[in-house]
Amino acid sequence: MALSDFNQEIYLVITTESDKKNASKLANLLLKEKLIPCVTLQDIESNFWWEGNINQSKEVQLMIKCKKENVNKVCNKISDWHSYEVPEIIYFRVSANKNYHHWVNSI
């Protein structure tokens, strides 16, 4: 595949959850409401400032793929259902190949 084959726009939303149970709950909520076609869960270790101290924690990262029309709904749903007081919600536009783009937008 040529680089020009990867010019189809989709969005990637990233958040973390405290554990697999909360991550799966959030992922299933987004999937059942058909806001997303796919989410990848990965165990990670985070280092961060919280309440004046440097902390280290094991978390689960969610990499959520969605179409442009659902980005705001996905971010709002994460904010409403997240277990953290201040959840990480980051999103950006990415390029995908034509077939993957079609699949993301078919959900």
mmCIF file with all atom_site columns, all heavy atoms in Angstrom, residues 67-93:
data_model
loop_
_atom_site.group_PDB
_atom_site.id
_atom_site.type_symbol
_atom_site.label_atom_id
_atom_site.label_alt_id
_atom_site.label_comp_id
_atom_site.label_asym_id
_atom_site.label_entity_id
_atom_site.label_seq_id
_atom_site.pdbx_PDB_ins_code
_atom_site.Cartn_x
_atom_site.Cartn_y
_atom_site.Cartn_z
_atom_site.occupancy
_atom_site.B_iso_or_equiv
_atom_site.pdbx_formal_charge
_atom_site.auth_seq_id
_atom_site.auth_comp_id
_atom_site.auth_asym_id
_atom_site.auth_atom_id
_atom_site.pdbx_PDB_model_num
ATOM 1   N N   . LYS A 1 67 ? -15.762 7.548  14.276 1.00 0.00 ? 67 LYS A N   1
ATOM 2   C CA  . LYS A 1 67 ? -15.942 8.474  13.170 1.00 0.00 ? 67 LYS A CA  1
ATOM 3   C C   . LYS A 1 67 ? -16.096 9.886  13.711 1.00 0.00 ? 67 LYS A C   1
ATOM 4   O O   . LYS A 1 67 ? -16.446 10.088 14.886 1.00 0.00 ? 67 LYS A O   1
ATOM 5   C CB  . LYS A 1 67 ? -17.123 8.078  12.294 1.00 0.00 ? 67 LYS A CB  1
ATOM 6   C CG  . LYS A 1 67 ? -18.453 7.981  13.002 1.00 0.00 ? 67 LYS A CG  1
ATOM 7   C CD  . LYS A 1 67 ? -19.500 7.426  12.049 1.00 0.00 ? 67 LYS A CD  1
ATOM 8   C CE  . LYS A 1 67 ? -20.800 7.127  12.757 1.00 0.00 ? 67 LYS A CE  1
ATOM 9   N NZ  . LYS A 1 67 ? -21.757 6.493  11.852 1.00 0.00 ? 67 LYS A NZ  1
ATOM 10  N N   . LYS A 1 68 ? -15.830 10.858 12.856 1.00 0.00 ? 68 LYS A N   1
ATOM 11  C CA  . LYS A 1 68 ? -15.845 12.265 13.245 1.00 0.00 ? 68 LYS A CA  1
ATOM 12  C C   . LYS A 1 68 ? -17.149 12.665 13.925 1.00 0.00 ? 68 LYS A C   1
ATOM 13  O O   . LYS A 1 68 ? -17.143 13.378 14.930 1.00 0.00 ? 68 LYS A O   1
ATOM 14  C CB  . LYS A 1 68 ? -15.607 13.130 12.012 1.00 0.00 ? 68 LYS A CB  1
ATOM 15  C CG  . LYS A 1 68 ? -15.548 14.596 12.297 1.00 0.00 ? 68 LYS A CG  1
ATOM 16  C CD  . LYS A 1 68 ? -15.253 15.385 11.033 1.00 0.00 ? 68 LYS A CD  1
ATOM 17  C CE  . LYS A 1 68 ? -15.145 16.870 11.329 1.00 0.00 ? 68 LYS A CE  1
ATOM 18  N NZ  . LYS A 1 68 ? -14.800 17.646 10.130 1.00 0.00 ? 68 LYS A NZ  1
ATOM 19  N N   . GLU A 1 69 ? -18.261 12.204 13.402 1.00 0.00 ? 69 GLU A N   1
ATOM 20  C CA  . GLU A 1 69 ? -19.577 12.586 13.920 1.00 0.00 ? 69 GLU A CA  1
ATOM 21  C C   . GLU A 1 69 ? -19.796 12.165 15.364 1.00 0.00 ? 69 GLU A C   1
ATOM 22  O O   . GLU A 1 69 ? -20.689 12.689 16.035 1.00 0.00 ? 69 GLU A O   1
ATOM 23  C CB  . GLU A 1 69 ? -20.698 12.000 13.048 1.00 0.00 ? 69 GLU A CB  1
ATOM 24  C CG  . GLU A 1 69 ? -20.741 12.526 11.638 1.00 0.00 ? 69 GLU A CG  1
ATOM 25  C CD  . GLU A 1 69 ? -19.703 11.890 10.717 1.00 0.00 ? 69 GLU A CD  1
ATOM 26  O OE1 . GLU A 1 69 ? -19.178 10.788 11.017 1.00 0.00 ? 69 GLU A OE1 1
ATOM 27  O OE2 . GLU A 1 69 ? -19.387 12.517 9.697  1.00 0.00 ? 69 GLU A OE2 1
ATOM 28  N N   . ASN A 1 70 ? -19.027 11.192 15.862 1.00 0.00 ? 70 ASN A N   1
ATOM 29  C CA  . ASN A 1 70 ? -19.253 10.678 17.216 1.00 0.00 ? 70 ASN A CA  1
ATOM 30  C C   . ASN A 1 70 ? -18.222 11.130 18.240 1.00 0.00 ? 70 ASN A C   1
ATOM 31  O O   . ASN A 1 70 ? -18.337 10.777 19.416 1.00 0.00 ? 70 ASN A O   1
ATOM 32  C CB  . ASN A 1 70 ? -19.311 9.149  17.197 1.00 0.00 ? 70 ASN A CB  1
ATOM 33  C CG  . ASN A 1 70 ? -20.600 8.645  16.611 1.00 0.00 ? 70 ASN A CG  1
ATOM 34  O OD1 . ASN A 1 70 ? -21.549 9.400  16.410 1.00 0.00 ? 70 ASN A OD1 1
ATOM 35  N ND2 . ASN A 1 70 ? -20.650 7.364  16.310 1.00 0.00 ? 70 ASN A ND2 1
ATOM 36  N N   . VAL A 1 71 ? -17.235 11.912 17.838 1.00 0.00 ? 71 VAL A N   1
ATOM 37  C CA  . VAL A 1 71 ? -16.165 12.290 18.764 1.00 0.00 ? 71 VAL A CA  1
ATOM 38  C C   . VAL A 1 71 ? -16.721 12.990 20.005 1.00 0.00 ? 71 VAL A C   1
ATOM 39  O O   . VAL A 1 71 ? -16.383 12.612 21.134 1.00 0.00 ? 71 VAL A O   1
ATOM 40  C CB  . VAL A 1 71 ? -15.106 13.180 18.070 1.00 0.00 ? 71 VAL A CB  1
ATOM 41  C CG1 . VAL A 1 71 ? -14.113 13.726 19.080 1.00 0.00 ? 71 VAL A CG1 1
ATOM 42  C CG2 . VAL A 1 71 ? -14.379 12.403 17.005 1.00 0.00 ? 71 VAL A CG2 1
ATOM 43  N N   . ASN A 1 72 ? -17.561 13.983 19.842 1.00 0.00 ? 72 ASN A N   1
ATOM 44  C CA  . ASN A 1 72 ? -18.104 14.700 21.005 1.00 0.00 ? 72 ASN A CA  1
ATOM 45  C C   . ASN A 1 72 ? -18.948 13.801 21.887 1.00 0.00 ? 72 ASN A C   1
ATOM 46  O O   . ASN A 1 72 ? -18.863 13.867 23.117 1.00 0.00 ? 72 ASN A O   1
ATOM 47  C CB  . ASN A 1 72 ? -18.921 15.915 20.559 1.00 0.00 ? 72 ASN A CB  1
ATOM 48  C CG  . ASN A 1 72 ? -18.041 17.040 20.070 1.00 0.00 ? 72 ASN A CG  1
ATOM 49  O OD1 . ASN A 1 72 ? -16.886 17.153 20.450 1.00 0.00 ? 72 ASN A OD1 1
ATOM 50  N ND2 . ASN A 1 72 ? -18.582 17.869 19.201 1.00 0.00 ? 72 ASN A ND2 1
ATOM 51  N N   . LYS A 1 73 ? -19.752 12.943 21.288 1.00 0.00 ? 73 LYS A N   1
ATOM 52  C CA  . LYS A 1 73 ? -20.577 12.014 22.074 1.00 0.00 ? 73 LYS A CA  1
ATOM 53  C C   . LYS A 1 73 ? -19.699 11.058 22.874 1.00 0.00 ? 73 LYS A C   1
ATOM 54  O O   . LYS A 1 73 ? -19.979 10.771 24.039 1.00 0.00 ? 73 LYS A O   1
ATOM 55  C CB  . LYS A 1 73 ? -21.506 11.222 21.163 1.00 0.00 ? 73 LYS A CB  1
ATOM 56  C CG  . LYS A 1 73 ? -22.604 12.054 20.529 1.00 0.00 ? 73 LYS A CG  1
ATOM 57  C CD  . LYS A 1 73 ? -23.420 11.206 19.571 1.00 0.00 ? 73 LYS A CD  1
ATOM 58  C CE  . LYS A 1 73 ? -24.411 12.040 18.786 1.00 0.00 ? 73 LYS A CE  1
ATOM 59  N NZ  . LYS A 1 73 ? -25.094 11.271 17.757 1.00 0.00 ? 73 LYS A NZ  1
ATOM 60  N N   . VAL A 1 74 ? -18.646 10.552 22.241 1.00 0.00 ? 74 VAL A N   1
ATOM 61  C CA  . VAL A 1 74 ? -17.727 9.628  22.909 1.00 0.00 ? 74 VAL A CA  1
ATOM 62  C C   . VAL A 1 74 ? -17.045 10.322 24.086 1.00 0.00 ? 74 VAL A C   1
ATOM 63  O O   . VAL A 1 74 ? -17.003 9.792  25.198 1.00 0.00 ? 74 VAL A O   1
ATOM 64  C CB  . VAL A 1 74 ? -16.685 9.066  21.909 1.00 0.00 ? 74 VAL A CB  1
ATOM 65  C CG1 . VAL A 1 74 ? -15.564 8.338  22.635 1.00 0.00 ? 74 VAL A CG1 1
ATOM 66  C CG2 . VAL A 1 74 ? -17.361 8.145  20.900 1.00 0.00 ? 74 VAL A CG2 1
ATOM 67  N N   . CYS A 1 75 ? -16.525 11.522 23.858 1.00 0.00 ? 75 CYS A N   1
ATOM 68  C CA  . CYS A 1 75 ? -15.847 12.267 24.929 1.00 0.00 ? 75 CYS A CA  1
ATOM 69  C C   . CYS A 1 75 ? -16.802 12.592 26.079 1.00 0.00 ? 75 CYS A C   1
ATOM 70  O O   . CYS A 1 75 ? -16.427 12.466 27.248 1.00 0.00 ? 75 CYS A O   1
ATOM 71  C CB  . CYS A 1 75 ? -15.220 13.536 24.365 1.00 0.00 ? 75 CYS A CB  1
ATOM 72  S SG  . CYS A 1 75 ? -13.810 13.217 23.271 1.00 0.00 ? 75 CYS A SG  1
ATOM 73  N N   . ASN A 1 76 ? -18.019 12.981 25.756 1.00 0.00 ? 76 ASN A N   1
ATOM 74  C CA  . ASN A 1 76 ? -19.006 13.268 26.807 1.00 0.00 ? 76 ASN A CA  1
ATOM 75  C C   . ASN A 1 76 ? -19.369 12.021 27.594 1.00 0.00 ? 76 ASN A C   1
ATOM 76  O O   . ASN A 1 76 ? -19.527 12.057 28.821 1.00 0.00 ? 76 ASN A O   1
ATOM 77  C CB  . ASN A 1 76 ? -20.259 13.895 26.208 1.00 0.00 ? 76 ASN A CB  1
ATOM 78  C CG  . ASN A 1 76 ? -20.026 15.320 25.766 1.00 0.00 ? 76 ASN A CG  1
ATOM 79  O OD1 . ASN A 1 76 ? -19.156 16.014 26.283 1.00 0.00 ? 76 ASN A OD1 1
ATOM 80  N ND2 . ASN A 1 76 ? -20.792 15.767 24.785 1.00 0.00 ? 76 ASN A ND2 1
ATOM 81  N N   . LYS A 1 77 ? -19.520 10.906 26.903 1.00 0.00 ? 77 LYS A N   1
ATOM 82  C CA  . LYS A 1 77 ? -19.855 9.648  27.578 1.00 0.00 ? 77 LYS A CA  1
ATOM 83  C C   . LYS A 1 77 ? -18.716 9.218  28.509 1.00 0.00 ? 77 LYS A C   1
ATOM 84  O O   . LYS A 1 77 ? -18.957 8.780  29.642 1.00 0.00 ? 77 LYS A O   1
ATOM 85  C CB  . LYS A 1 77 ? -20.139 8.567  26.535 1.00 0.00 ? 77 LYS A CB  1
ATOM 86  C CG  . LYS A 1 77 ? -20.856 7.349  27.039 1.00 0.00 ? 77 LYS A CG  1
ATOM 87  C CD  . LYS A 1 77 ? -22.231 7.624  27.571 1.00 0.00 ? 77 LYS A CD  1
ATOM 88  C CE  . LYS A 1 77 ? -23.245 7.865  26.490 1.00 0.00 ? 77 LYS A CE  1
ATOM 89  N NZ  . LYS A 1 77 ? -24.619 7.892  27.028 1.00 0.00 ? 77 LYS A NZ  1
ATOM 90  N N   . ILE A 1 78 ? -17.474 9.374  28.045 1.00 0.00 ? 78 ILE A N   1
ATOM 91  C CA  . ILE A 1 78 ? -16.317 9.054  28.891 1.00 0.00 ? 78 ILE A CA  1
ATOM 92  C C   . ILE A 1 78 ? -16.347 9.925  30.145 1.00 0.00 ? 78 ILE A C   1
ATOM 93  O O   . ILE A 1 78 ? -16.193 9.440  31.268 1.00 0.00 ? 78 ILE A O   1
ATOM 94  C CB  . ILE A 1 78 ? -14.990 9.253  28.124 1.00 0.00 ? 78 ILE A CB  1
ATOM 95  C CG1 . ILE A 1 78 ? -14.853 8.202  27.016 1.00 0.00 ? 78 ILE A CG1 1
ATOM 96  C CG2 . ILE A 1 78 ? -13.793 9.177  29.087 1.00 0.00 ? 78 ILE A CG2 1
ATOM 97  C CD1 . ILE A 1 78 ? -13.708 8.488  26.042 1.00 0.00 ? 78 ILE A CD1 1
ATOM 98  N N   . SER A 1 79 ? -16.547 11.215 29.950 1.00 0.00 ? 79 SER A N   1
ATOM 99  C CA  . SER A 1 79 ? -16.582 12.155 31.078 1.00 0.00 ? 79 SER A CA  1
ATOM 100 C C   . SER A 1 79 ? -17.682 11.789 32.077 1.00 0.00 ? 79 SER A C   1
ATOM 101 O O   . SER A 1 79 ? -17.472 11.826 33.291 1.00 0.00 ? 79 SER A O   1
ATOM 102 C CB  . SER A 1 79 ? -16.799 13.569 30.544 1.00 0.00 ? 79 SER A CB  1
ATOM 103 O OG  . SER A 1 79 ? -16.760 14.500 31.586 1.00 0.00 ? 79 SER A OG  1
ATOM 104 N N   . ASP A 1 80 ? -18.851 11.400 31.579 1.00 0.00 ? 80 ASP A N   1
ATOM 105 C CA  . ASP A 1 80 ? -19.987 11.049 32.444 1.00 0.00 ? 80 ASP A CA  1
ATOM 106 C C   . ASP A 1 80 ? -19.774 9.748  33.219 1.00 0.00 ? 80 ASP A C   1
ATOM 107 O O   . ASP A 1 80 ? -20.244 9.612  34.349 1.00 0.00 ? 80 ASP A O   1
ATOM 108 C CB  . ASP A 1 80 ? -21.268 10.912 31.617 1.00 0.00 ? 80 ASP A CB  1
ATOM 109 C CG  . ASP A 1 80 ? -21.765 12.238 31.073 1.00 0.00 ? 80 ASP A CG  1
ATOM 110 O OD1 . ASP A 1 80 ? -21.297 13.303 31.536 1.00 0.00 ? 80 ASP A OD1 1
ATOM 111 O OD2 . ASP A 1 80 ? -22.619 12.202 30.157 1.00 0.00 ? 80 ASP A OD2 1
ATOM 112 N N   . TRP A 1 81 ? -19.117 8.780  32.612 1.00 0.00 ? 81 TRP A N   1
ATOM 113 C CA  . TRP A 1 81 ? -19.031 7.440  33.195 1.00 0.00 ? 81 TRP A CA  1
ATOM 114 C C   . TRP A 1 81 ? -17.673 7.081  33.783 1.00 0.00 ? 81 TRP A C   1
ATOM 115 O O   . TRP A 1 81 ? -17.509 6.001  34.337 1.00 0.00 ? 81 TRP A O   1
ATOM 116 C CB  . TRP A 1 81 ? -19.415 6.393  32.146 1.00 0.00 ? 81 TRP A CB  1
ATOM 117 C CG  . TRP A 1 81 ? -20.876 6.422  31.862 1.00 0.00 ? 81 TRP A CG  1
ATOM 118 C CD1 . TRP A 1 81 ? -21.519 7.164  30.921 1.00 0.00 ? 81 TRP A CD1 1
ATOM 119 C CD2 . TRP A 1 81 ? -21.892 5.702  32.554 1.00 0.00 ? 81 TRP A CD2 1
ATOM 120 N NE1 . TRP A 1 81 ? -22.876 6.956  30.971 1.00 0.00 ? 81 TRP A NE1 1
ATOM 121 C CE2 . TRP A 1 81 ? -23.129 6.051  31.965 1.00 0.00 ? 81 TRP A CE2 1
ATOM 122 C CE3 . TRP A 1 81 ? -21.879 4.790  33.599 1.00 0.00 ? 81 TRP A CE3 1
ATOM 123 C CZ2 . TRP A 1 81 ? -24.334 5.519  32.410 1.00 0.00 ? 81 TRP A CZ2 1
ATOM 124 C CZ3 . TRP A 1 81 ? -23.084 4.262  34.028 1.00 0.00 ? 81 TRP A CZ3 1
ATOM 125 C CH2 . TRP A 1 81 ? -24.291 4.626  33.430 1.00 0.00 ? 81 TRP A CH2 1
ATOM 126 N N   . HIS A 1 82 ? -16.692 7.955  33.663 1.00 0.00 ? 82 HIS A N   1
ATOM 127 C CA  . HIS A 1 82 ? -15.333 7.643  34.086 1.00 0.00 ? 82 HIS A CA  1
ATOM 128 C C   . HIS A 1 82 ? -15.221 7.540  35.599 1.00 0.00 ? 82 HIS A C   1
ATOM 129 O O   . HIS A 1 82 ? -15.914 8.240  36.329 1.00 0.00 ? 82 HIS A O   1
ATOM 130 C CB  . HIS A 1 82 ? -14.367 8.718  33.560 1.00 0.00 ? 82 HIS A CB  1
ATOM 131 C CG  . HIS A 1 82 ? -12.997 8.207  33.344 1.00 0.00 ? 82 HIS A CG  1
ATOM 132 N ND1 . HIS A 1 82 ? -12.123 7.996  34.376 1.00 0.00 ? 82 HIS A ND1 1
ATOM 133 C CD2 . HIS A 1 82 ? -12.356 7.847  32.214 1.00 0.00 ? 82 HIS A CD2 1
ATOM 134 C CE1 . HIS A 1 82 ? -10.981 7.526  33.881 1.00 0.00 ? 82 HIS A CE1 1
ATOM 135 N NE2 . HIS A 1 82 ? -11.106 7.431  32.567 1.00 0.00 ? 82 HIS A NE2 1
ATOM 136 N N   . SER A 1 83 ? -14.326 6.682  36.063 1.00 0.00 ? 83 SER A N   1
ATOM 137 C CA  . SER A 1 83 ? -14.146 6.483  37.506 1.00 0.00 ? 83 SER A CA  1
ATOM 138 C C   . SER A 1 83 ? -13.239 7.542  38.137 1.00 0.00 ? 83 SER A C   1
ATOM 139 O O   . SER A 1 83 ? -13.221 7.676  39.358 1.00 0.00 ? 83 SER A O   1
ATOM 140 C CB  . SER A 1 83 ? -13.579 5.088  37.785 1.00 0.00 ? 83 SER A CB  1
ATOM 141 O OG  . SER A 1 83 ? -12.250 4.987  37.284 1.00 0.00 ? 83 SER A OG  1
ATOM 142 N N   . TYR A 1 84 ? -12.496 8.306  37.339 1.00 0.00 ? 84 TYR A N   1
ATOM 143 C CA  . TYR A 1 84 ? -11.582 9.313  37.869 1.00 0.00 ? 84 TYR A CA  1
ATOM 144 C C   . TYR A 1 84 ? -12.258 10.669 38.021 1.00 0.00 ? 84 TYR A C   1
ATOM 145 O O   . TYR A 1 84 ? -13.136 11.029 37.235 1.00 0.00 ? 84 TYR A O   1
ATOM 146 C CB  . TYR A 1 84 ? -10.388 9.505  36.938 1.00 0.00 ? 84 TYR A CB  1
ATOM 147 C CG  . TYR A 1 84 ? -9.392  8.367  36.880 1.00 0.00 ? 84 TYR A CG  1
ATOM 148 C CD1 . TYR A 1 84 ? -8.433  8.342  35.878 1.00 0.00 ? 84 TYR A CD1 1
ATOM 149 C CD2 . TYR A 1 84 ? -9.391  7.340  37.805 1.00 0.00 ? 84 TYR A CD2 1
ATOM 150 C CE1 . TYR A 1 84 ? -7.506  7.325  35.799 1.00 0.00 ? 84 TYR A CE1 1
ATOM 151 C CE2 . TYR A 1 84 ? -8.468  6.314  37.728 1.00 0.00 ? 84 TYR A CE2 1
ATOM 152 C CZ  . TYR A 1 84 ? -7.520  6.318  36.730 1.00 0.00 ? 84 TYR A CZ  1
ATOM 153 O OH  . TYR A 1 84 ? -6.603  5.306  36.650 1.00 0.00 ? 84 TYR A OH  1
ATOM 154 N N   . GLU A 1 85 ? -11.784 11.430 38.986 1.00 0.00 ? 85 GLU A N   1
ATOM 155 C CA  . GLU A 1 85 ? -12.246 12.806 39.187 1.00 0.00 ? 85 GLU A CA  1
ATOM 156 C C   . GLU A 1 85 ? -11.860 13.684 37.995 1.00 0.00 ? 85 GLU A C   1
ATOM 157 O O   . GLU A 1 85 ? -12.637 14.529 37.548 1.00 0.00 ? 85 GLU A O   1
ATOM 158 C CB  . GLU A 1 85 ? -11.627 13.362 40.469 1.00 0.00 ? 85 GLU A CB  1
ATOM 159 C CG  . GLU A 1 85 ? -12.039 14.766 40.809 1.00 0.00 ? 85 GLU A CG  1
ATOM 160 C CD  . GLU A 1 85 ? -11.384 15.261 42.086 1.00 0.00 ? 85 GLU A CD  1
ATOM 161 O OE1 . GLU A 1 85 ? -10.968 14.438 42.926 1.00 0.00 ? 85 GLU A OE1 1
ATOM 162 O OE2 . GLU A 1 85 ? -11.288 16.495 42.229 1.00 0.00 ? 85 GLU A OE2 1
ATOM 163 N N   . VAL A 1 86 ? -10.640 13.469 37.478 1.00 0.00 ? 86 VAL A N   1
ATOM 164 C CA  . VAL A 1 86 ? -10.149 14.219 36.323 1.00 0.00 ? 86 VAL A CA  1
ATOM 165 C C   . VAL A 1 86 ? -9.662  13.197 35.278 1.00 0.00 ? 86 VAL A C   1
ATOM 166 O O   . VAL A 1 86 ? -8.494  12.839 35.248 1.00 0.00 ? 86 VAL A O   1
ATOM 167 C CB  . VAL A 1 86 ? -8.996  15.174 36.708 1.00 0.00 ? 86 VAL A CB  1
ATOM 168 C CG1 . VAL A 1 86 ? -8.522  15.967 35.480 1.00 0.00 ? 86 VAL A CG1 1
ATOM 169 C CG2 . VAL A 1 86 ? -9.413  16.113 37.833 1.00 0.00 ? 86 VAL A CG2 1
ATOM 170 N N   . PRO A 1 87 ? -10.559 12.705 34.444 1.00 0.00 ? 87 PRO A N   1
ATOM 171 C CA  . PRO A 1 87 ? -10.152 11.690 33.463 1.00 0.00 ? 87 PRO A CA  1
ATOM 172 C C   . PRO A 1 87 ? -9.330  12.291 32.329 1.00 0.00 ? 87 PRO A C   1
ATOM 173 O O   . PRO A 1 87 ? -9.542  13.437 31.925 1.00 0.00 ? 87 PRO A O   1
ATOM 174 C CB  . PRO A 1 87 ? -11.475 11.154 32.935 1.00 0.00 ? 87 PRO A CB  1
ATOM 175 C CG  . PRO A 1 87 ? -12.441 12.259 33.149 1.00 0.00 ? 87 PRO A CG  1
ATOM 176 C CD  . PRO A 1 87 ? -11.989 12.991 34.380 1.00 0.00 ? 87 PRO A CD  1
ATOM 177 N N   . GLU A 1 88 ? -8.389  11.513 31.858 1.00 0.00 ? 88 GLU A N   1
ATOM 178 C CA  . GLU A 1 88 ? -7.665  11.863 30.641 1.00 0.00 ? 88 GLU A CA  1
ATOM 179 C C   . GLU A 1 88 ? -8.604  11.613 29.469 1.00 0.00 ? 88 GLU A C   1
ATOM 180 O O   . GLU A 1 88 ? -9.107  10.498 29.302 1.00 0.00 ? 88 GLU A O   1
ATOM 181 C CB  . GLU A 1 88 ? -6.426  10.980 30.495 1.00 0.00 ? 88 GLU A CB  1
ATOM 182 C CG  . GLU A 1 88 ? -5.744  11.112 29.158 1.00 0.00 ? 88 GLU A CG  1
ATOM 183 C CD  . GLU A 1 88 ? -4.658  10.071 28.930 1.00 0.00 ? 88 GLU A CD  1
ATOM 184 O OE1 . GLU A 1 88 ? -4.699  9.000  29.582 1.00 0.00 ? 88 GLU A OE1 1
ATOM 185 O OE2 . GLU A 1 88 ? -3.791  10.318 28.098 1.00 0.00 ? 88 GLU A OE2 1
ATOM 186 N N   . ILE A 1 89 ? -8.851  12.632 28.681 1.00 0.00 ? 89 ILE A N   1
ATOM 187 C CA  . ILE A 1 89 ? -9.626  12.474 27.451 1.00 0.00 ? 89 ILE A CA  1
ATOM 188 C C   . ILE A 1 89 ? -8.888  13.264 26.375 1.00 0.00 ? 89 ILE A C   1
ATOM 189 O O   . ILE A 1 89 ? -8.907  14.490 26.387 1.00 0.00 ? 89 ILE A O   1
ATOM 190 C CB  . ILE A 1 89 ? -11.074 12.978 27.584 1.00 0.00 ? 89 ILE A CB  1
ATOM 191 C CG1 . ILE A 1 89 ? -11.784 12.290 28.750 1.00 0.00 ? 89 ILE A CG1 1
ATOM 192 C CG2 . ILE A 1 89 ? -11.838 12.741 26.274 1.00 0.00 ? 89 ILE A CG2 1
ATOM 193 C CD1 . ILE A 1 89 ? -13.155 12.862 29.071 1.00 0.00 ? 89 ILE A CD1 1
ATOM 194 N N   . ILE A 1 90 ? -8.223  12.542 25.503 1.00 0.00 ? 90 ILE A N   1
ATOM 195 C CA  . ILE A 1 90 ? -7.441  13.147 24.429 1.00 0.00 ? 90 ILE A CA  1
ATOM 196 C C   . ILE A 1 90 ? -7.954  12.563 23.120 1.00 0.00 ? 90 ILE A C   1
ATOM 197 O O   . ILE A 1 90 ? -8.171  11.355 23.023 1.00 0.00 ? 90 ILE A O   1
ATOM 198 C CB  . ILE A 1 90 ? -5.947  12.804 24.580 1.00 0.00 ? 90 ILE A CB  1
ATOM 199 C CG1 . ILE A 1 90 ? -5.401  13.351 25.899 1.00 0.00 ? 90 ILE A CG1 1
ATOM 200 C CG2 . ILE A 1 90 ? -5.141  13.311 23.395 1.00 0.00 ? 90 ILE A CG2 1
ATOM 201 C CD1 . ILE A 1 90 ? -4.009  12.855 26.230 1.00 0.00 ? 90 ILE A CD1 1
ATOM 202 N N   . TYR A 1 91 ? -8.136  13.423 22.129 1.00 0.00 ? 91 TYR A N   1
ATOM 203 C CA  . TYR A 1 91 ? -8.513  12.888 20.825 1.00 0.00 ? 91 TYR A CA  1
ATOM 204 C C   . TYR A 1 91 ? -7.780  13.629 19.725 1.00 0.00 ? 91 TYR A C   1
ATOM 205 O O   . TYR A 1 91 ? -7.377  14.769 19.897 1.00 0.00 ? 91 TYR A O   1
ATOM 206 C CB  . TYR A 1 91 ? -10.026 12.930 20.596 1.00 0.00 ? 91 TYR A CB  1
ATOM 207 C CG  . TYR A 1 91 ? -10.611 14.292 20.347 1.00 0.00 ? 91 TYR A CG  1
ATOM 208 C CD1 . TYR A 1 91 ? -10.668 14.819 19.060 1.00 0.00 ? 91 TYR A CD1 1
ATOM 209 C CD2 . TYR A 1 91 ? -11.125 15.037 21.401 1.00 0.00 ? 91 TYR A CD2 1
ATOM 210 C CE1 . TYR A 1 91 ? -11.219 16.072 18.838 1.00 0.00 ? 91 TYR A CE1 1
ATOM 211 C CE2 . TYR A 1 91 ? -11.677 16.279 21.179 1.00 0.00 ? 91 TYR A CE2 1
ATOM 212 C CZ  . TYR A 1 91 ? -11.720 16.791 19.896 1.00 0.00 ? 91 TYR A CZ  1
ATOM 213 O OH  . TYR A 1 91 ? -12.256 18.034 19.682 1.00 0.00 ? 91 TYR A OH  1
ATOM 214 N N   . PHE A 1 92 ? -7.594  12.932 18.627 1.00 0.00 ? 92 PHE A N   1
ATOM 215 C CA  . PHE A 1 92 ? -6.975  13.559 17.469 1.00 0.00 ? 92 PHE A CA  1
ATOM 216 C C   . PHE A 1 92 ? -7.392  12.834 16.203 1.00 0.00 ? 92 PHE A C   1
ATOM 217 O O   . PHE A 1 92 ? -7.809  11.669 16.239 1.00 0.00 ? 92 PHE A O   1
ATOM 218 C CB  . PHE A 1 92 ? -5.450  13.636 17.585 1.00 0.00 ? 92 PHE A CB  1
ATOM 219 C CG  . PHE A 1 92 ? -4.779  12.385 18.042 1.00 0.00 ? 92 PHE A CG  1
ATOM 220 C CD1 . PHE A 1 92 ? -4.243  11.485 17.145 1.00 0.00 ? 92 PHE A CD1 1
ATOM 221 C CD2 . PHE A 1 92 ? -4.672  12.102 19.402 1.00 0.00 ? 92 PHE A CD2 1
ATOM 222 C CE1 . PHE A 1 92 ? -3.611  10.343 17.576 1.00 0.00 ? 92 PHE A CE1 1
ATOM 223 C CE2 . PHE A 1 92 ? -4.037  10.957 19.844 1.00 0.00 ? 92 PHE A CE2 1
ATOM 224 C CZ  . PHE A 1 92 ? -3.510  10.072 18.922 1.00 0.00 ? 92 PHE A CZ  1
ATOM 225 N N   . ARG A 1 93 ? -7.291  13.561 15.111 1.00 0.00 ? 93 ARG A N   1
ATOM 226 C CA  . ARG A 1 93 ? -7.611  13.013 13.795 1.00 0.00 ? 93 ARG A CA  1
ATOM 227 C C   . ARG A 1 93 ? -6.423  12.197 13.316 1.00 0.00 ? 93 ARG A C   1
ATOM 228 O O   . ARG A 1 93 ? -5.277  12.613 13.453 1.00 0.00 ? 93 ARG A O   1
ATOM 229 C CB  . ARG A 1 93 ? -7.892  14.167 12.833 1.00 0.00 ? 93 ARG A CB  1
ATOM 230 C CG  . ARG A 1 93 ? -8.345  13.724 11.471 1.00 0.00 ? 93 ARG A CG  1
ATOM 231 C CD  . ARG A 1 93 ? -8.630  14.896 10.565 1.00 0.00 ? 93 ARG A CD  1
ATOM 232 N NE  . ARG A 1 93 ? -7.395  15.647 10.337 1.00 0.00 ? 93 ARG A NE  1
ATOM 233 C CZ  . ARG A 1 93 ? -7.313  16.961 10.304 1.00 0.00 ? 93 ARG A CZ  1
ATOM 234 N NH1 . ARG A 1 93 ? -8.357  17.719 10.518 1.00 0.00 ? 93 ARG A NH1 1
ATOM 235 N NH2 . ARG A 1 93 ? -6.165  17.559 10.088 1.00 0.00 ? 93 ARG A NH2 1
#
